[in-house]
Amino acid sequence: MRRVHSNSLHVATRKTPGAINRQIVLDLLRAHQAISRADLARVLGMQRSAAGRIVSDLIDQGLVWEGAAGPAQRGRKPTLLHLDSRGRCAVAADVRVTETSLVVTDLVGTELTEVRRFATEREPRPFAARLAEEIHRLLADHRETGQCAGVGVAFPGMLDRSRSVVLRAPGLGWRDVPMREPLAQALGLRVEMENAARACALALIWHAPAGEVPGDLAFVSVSDGVGVGLVLGGQPLRGRNNAAGEFGHLPLGIDGPRCACGAQGCWEAYVSNLATVSRYNQGSATPITVDEVVRRARAGDVKAVTALLVTARYFGLGLASIVNAVDPDRIHVGGEITAAWDIIEPTVREALAERVLVASAAATEIVLVNSGDHPRLRGASALVGASVFAGASVA
């Protein structure tokens, strides 16, 4: 049974059922992205005229539009309905410790431009100025994408409840940095910010197929750091301080390598891209990427294979902490390390089985998210789409 908190109750009015139905229609259209009024009414279990009134209101508000006619077995072809992203776009920003990526999308997350990248400034003010400059340039170069409805930022750190202040970003060394408002003022646009891993998890809700209930899931993002976004009962888990899911900073060993957060032995310090590269280099200053380590492993470089397998073991041990703590239906994994999954999966699974408290939990489904799908940018875009279409489950 779900507990009802009296301090957050709002008494229903005569408008409440209509608002709920309106949101259900928007969610169905988002999932289907091409559905007729008749099919919509059947899914909703209401009369076609009632569904039609809701759709007409949404069309008047500029949230839904009528597209081409769809197929029909007999009689008149139905007009298909879509969320209205015409003439509007969003900018998605993926901020990482070493690099920031930008892309323009429509309001349902389809990329409209190529991804642009630039080095992340280490100081907050220069970073905000550079990010605003790059976004202005990107939009100016692609005016055909329409009016920008907002900017979504997937950020590698912990944000306050308003998602306006960066409470802590260990990899950047930031603490208590106001970021959303200065960026919004510099851009003259609405800005939505979220922890990167949680943004990826939110995107899984936002892009869930029609009729699929997200359930309990975790999104683990492995890059310069390690982030975890949790969805429980189809809702994002935030916690009192908006810091829920920071498994990357749980210790695997108190005497382990020093983490960017200042502690020793954090999971992140064992499995991040930086950790894998350092393990391969073993003190060498030669610049190299995880992608290159994977390439060398496939070419038969024993040292590269060994570095990946050590990372794999620590990765599996950390996944066991997530499984033991929240017992998710599945874990989505994103990051460059997934390119070596066929090499590391047996070791990951072995370590996971070693530490789970319930034997069957070792078989928890792990879903790989291709880096080429840009999951963090997809999450950043979903922040804007959800704000425009008022997806209560995502906001």
Side-chain angles (χ1 to χ4, degrees):
M1 178 179 292
R2 195 175 194 179
R3 184 178 178 183
V4 176
H5 297 280
S6 58
N7 60 348
S8 61
L9 287 176
H10 296 280
V11 177
T13 68
R14 284 188 290 180
K15 294 182 179 180
T16 301
I20 293 173
N21 287 336
R22 172 184 179 275
Q23 192 55 59
I24 291 172
V25 169
L26 286 172
D27 286 343
L28 285 170
L29 286 172
R30 171 180 53 77
H32 288 279
Q33 269 306 290
I35 188 171
S36 69
R37 283 176 172 81
D39 287 339
L40 187 63
R42 277 194 290 271
V43 173
L44 291 170
M46 63 170 55
Q47 292 184 350
R48 184 172 176 177
S49 58
R53 285 193 294 271
I54 297 173
V55 169
S56 296
D57 288 343
L58 292 172
I59 290 174
D60 291 342
Q61 295 169 34
L63 297 174
V64 173
W65 70 284
E66 297 176 296
Q73 293 182 343
R74 61 180 183 276
R76 183 179 178 183
K77 292 183 177 181
T79 301
L80 299 181
L81 304 169
H82 307 258
L83 291 184
D84 196 350
S85 187
R86 298 172 303 168
R88 292 183 292 177
C89 67
V91 174
D94 169 20
V95 180
R96 304 193 186 202
V97 174
T98 55
E99 182 180 74
T100 296
S101 303
L102 298 174
V103 72
V104 180
T105 74
D106 64 15
L107 298 185
V108 291
T110 303
E111 293 184 10
L112 302 177
T113 68
E114 293 186 352
V115 177
R116 289 190 182 179
R117 297 177 173 86
F118 61 93
T120 301
E121 299 279 353
R122 303 289 295 191
E123 295 298 321
R125 287 188 180 180
F127 168 76
R130 176 71 186 278
L131 180 56
E133 177 187 342
E134 294 290 343
I135 290 173
H136 278 308
R137 183 179 293 118
L138 179 63
L139 289 172
D141 291 346
H142 296 282
R143 298 184 188 277
E144 74 281 359
T145 57
Q147 182 179 0
C148 184
V151 175
V153 182
F155 198 84
M158 289 156 270
L159 310 178
D160 68 350
R161 290 291 293 181
S162 69
R163 288 170 275 167
S164 178
V165 175
V166 179
L167 297 176
R168 192 173 186 191
L172 293 169
W174 294 6
R175 283 181 181 267
D176 301 321
V177 176
M179 182 54 61
R180 187 173 67 182
E181 296 312 317
L183 188 57
Q185 290 177 8
L187 290 168
L189 295 168
R190 179 173 181 168
V191 174
E192 301 288 343
M193 290 181 59
E194 185 55 275
N195 168 271
R198 189 176 292 123
C200 292
L202 294 174
L204 294 176
I205 303 174
W206 182 240
H207 295 289
E212 179 180 301
V213 178
D216 299 340
L217 60 88
F219 191 105
V220 181
S221 175
V222 182
S223 60
D224 295 333
V226 175
V228 178
L230 299 175
V231 174
L232 300 181
Q235 298 293 325
L237 181 66
R238 299 187 181 281
R240 184 169 67 90
N241 296 303
N242 205 37
E246 286 295 334
F247 285 89
H249 297 288
L250 289 182
L252 288 186
I254 59 175
D255 296 322
R258 186 166 295 279
C259 180
C261 73
Q264 285 184 267
C266 294
W267 186 31
E268 176 176 303
Y270 287 99
V271 302
S272 70
N273 290 352
L274 301 177
T276 300
V277 167
S278 296
R279 192 171 289 125
Y280 177 79
N281 277 340
Q282 293 182 337
S284 170
T286 305
I288 191 174
T289 65
V290 167
D291 291 332
E292 178 62 16
V293 174
V294 174
R295 189 192 69 75
R296 293 184 184 187
R298 295 198 180 284
D301 186 330
V302 175
K303 191 169 71 167
V305 172
T306 300
L308 290 173
L309 292 181
V310 173
T311 295
R313 173 164 173 75
Y314 287 125
F315 189 57
L317 296 177
L319 289 182
S321 295
I322 298 173
V323 171
N324 289 336
V326 297
D327 195 19
D329 298 313
R330 59 192 180 279
I331 299 173
H332 297 253
V333 177
E336 289 76 10
I337 197 70
T338 60
W341 194 250
D342 58 321
I343 298 172
I344 68 174
E345 182 181 15
T347 303
V348 171
R349 285 287 182 184
E350 180 181 342
L352 175 62
E354 179 183 318
R355 289 292 180 90
V356 291
L357 298 175
V358 179
S360 60
T364 299
E365 182 183 6
I366 298 176
V367 179
L368 299 186
V369 180
N370 192 315
S371 295
D373 292 337
H374 305 137
R376 291 160 64 118
L377 287 170
R378 191 175 172 89
S381 174
L383 297 174
V384 180
S387 69
V388 170
F389 297 110
S393 61
V394 181

